[in-house]
């Protein structure tokens, strides 16, 4: 049976594709207030601004390509059972060929009626639709009459996929973390569910705060770090 690798990724894995990270200098949250464009409160106050922000993200994504790090992660599937658990809302892992991707924070290319996928309906994704790189505007309504909203986990909302992610990390023989500042919970705590004997690798050029003596930090950008990681597996 193949060994299992759980790969936990953040914005850093997509940085070399040209998508900015959130919290680095000049990152997205330097230019936009997440409480305005990516929070439950922001959506309630000014949904038009939120829709515009994600229209922009979608347009940027259309013109972005996966990089070698995404591809090397996808190629791990040749020898391992790989579960990618990403905080990213981009689709670059899928476009690089990864076949098992859990999007903890939602997906930029999907929308849903604003009154669905919540604690009342058990977070059912039945009404989620894939709009690709199209725009959504105020007044674009679903057949049930509700405004369409981005299929994104806004700040202040539950993270329904976290339980599945915990199971996958706990089942892994190797845990690999790539390009995340580990500042946003519950995603940031996921690596703590790694089995005691599972090695944990971290690829990030910065000093990420991670408190586990097992962590092997490959202090490089994602493409170089992935090359080194693949070499270590041999
Ligand atoms: P952050 O912007 O917080 O962190 C990005 C990480 O990537 C940092 O640790 C950087 O050092 C690292 N990094 C930068 N360039 C890199 C490169 N070329 N290769 C590898 N690593 C690099 O992004 P996340 O941790 O992903 O949520 O942020 C978590 C969540 O906060 C996001 O999913 C988003 C945001 O608010 C939502 O929008 C719901």
């Amino acid at each position: 049976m193949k060994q299992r690798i759980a790969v936990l990724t953040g914005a850093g894995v997509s940085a070399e594709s040209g998508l900015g990270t959130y919290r680095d200098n000049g990152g997205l949250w330097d230019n936009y207030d997440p409480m305005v464009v990516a929070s439950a409160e922001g959506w309630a106050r000014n949904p038009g601004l939120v829709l515009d922000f994600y229209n922009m993200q979608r347009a940027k994504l259309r013109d972005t390509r996966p990089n070698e790090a995404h591809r090397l992660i996808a190629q791990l599937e040749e020898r391992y059972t790989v579960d990618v658990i990403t905080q990213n809302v981009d689709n670059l892992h899928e476009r690089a060929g990864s076949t098992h991707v859990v999007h903890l924070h939602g997906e930029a290319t999907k929308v849903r009626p604003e009154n669905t996928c919540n604690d009342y309906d058990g977070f059912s994704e039945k009404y989620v639709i894939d709009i690709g790189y199209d725009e959504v505007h105020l007044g674009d309504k679903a057949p049930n009459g509700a405004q369409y909203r981005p299929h994104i986990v806004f700040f202040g909302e539950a993270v329904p996929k976290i339980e599945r992610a915990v199971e996958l990390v706990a089942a892994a023989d190797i845990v690999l973390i790539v390009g995340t500042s580990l500042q946003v919970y519950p995603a940031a705590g996921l690596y703590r569910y790694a089995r005691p004997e599972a090695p944990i690798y971290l690829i990030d050029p910065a000093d990420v705060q991670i408190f586990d003596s097992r962590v092997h930090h490959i202090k490089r950008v994602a493409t170089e770090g992935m090359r080194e990681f693949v070499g270590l597996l041999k």
Side-chain angles (χ1 to χ4, degrees):
M1 214 165 70
K2 284 181 176 173
Q3 283 203 310
R4 301 188 73 99
I5 304 189
V7 188
L8 311 177
T9 67
V13 76
S14 298
E16 289 163 89
S17 290
L19 290 180
T21 61
Y22 294 95
R23 294 178 185 77
D24 288 305
N25 266 341
L28 213 46
W29 295 158
D30 266 358
N31 298 307
Y32 295 90
D33 181 349
M35 289 307 134
V36 174
V37 299
S39 76
E41 191 188 325
W43 175 255
R45 284 214 183 137
N46 196 337
L49 267 184
V50 177
L51 290 171
D52 284 348
F53 176 75
Y54 283 100
N55 286 340
M56 189 182 73
Q57 299 306 307
R58 242 175 264 122
K60 216 188 294 175
L61 190 53
R62 182 188 51 217
D63 300 327
T64 304
R65 302 281 166 265
N67 65 52
E68 192 189 348
H70 298 106
R71 285 194 290 276
L72 288 173
I73 290 169
Q75 284 164 21
L76 292 174
E77 292 189 16
E78 292 165 12
R79 290 171 52 205
Y80 297 87
T81 298
V82 182
D83 293 297
V84 177
I85 299 154
T86 187
Q87 295 169 74
N88 298 345
V89 300
D90 67 47
N91 56 8
L92 299 178
H93 283 300
E94 288 90 341
R95 283 160 65 190
S98 284
T99 57
H100 297 116
V101 185
V102 175
H103 283 273
L104 283 176
H105 294 160
E107 292 169 79
T109 50
K110 294 183 178 172
V111 297
R112 65 175 194 255
E114 65 172 335
N115 59 354
T116 65
C117 194
N118 51 39
D119 40 354
Y120 300 106
D121 63 13
F123 297 98
S124 165
E125 298 196 340
K126 197 167 156 191
Y127 299 105
V128 174
I129 58 168
D130 193 328
I131 58 162
Y133 306 107
D134 289 349
E135 296 196 343
V136 182
H137 299 280
L138 267 189
D140 290 342
K141 295 195 171 155
N144 74 358
Q147 170 68 43
Y148 275 119
R149 60 160 273 178
H151 184 46
I152 296 286
V153 175
F154 292 145
F155 282 103
E157 294 185 326
V159 181
K161 298 225 161 93
I162 197 71
E163 285 165 24
R164 179 73 188 128
V166 166
E167 286 170 7
L168 294 172
V169 173
D173 298 295
I174 301 171
V175 174
L176 169 64
I177 306 169
V178 189
T180 168
S181 63
L182 295 178
Q183 288 192 36
V184 176
Y185 282 83
L190 270 175
Y191 73 87
R192 293 168 187 262
Y193 291 91
R195 293 210 297 251
E197 65 276 20
I200 302 176
Y201 294 88
L202 164 71
I203 298 173
D204 199 297
D207 288 316
V208 177
Q209 297 291 310
I210 183 164
F211 307 100
D212 194 307
S213 55
R214 274 176 293 174
V215 174
H216 177 95
H217 189 174
I218 300 173
K219 211 170 164 190
R220 306 175 81 168
V221 293
T223 53
E224 294 171 5
M226 274 308 298
R227 269 180 243 143
E228 185 170 327
F229 174 75
V230 169
L232 289 173
L233 290 174
K234 281 181 181 140

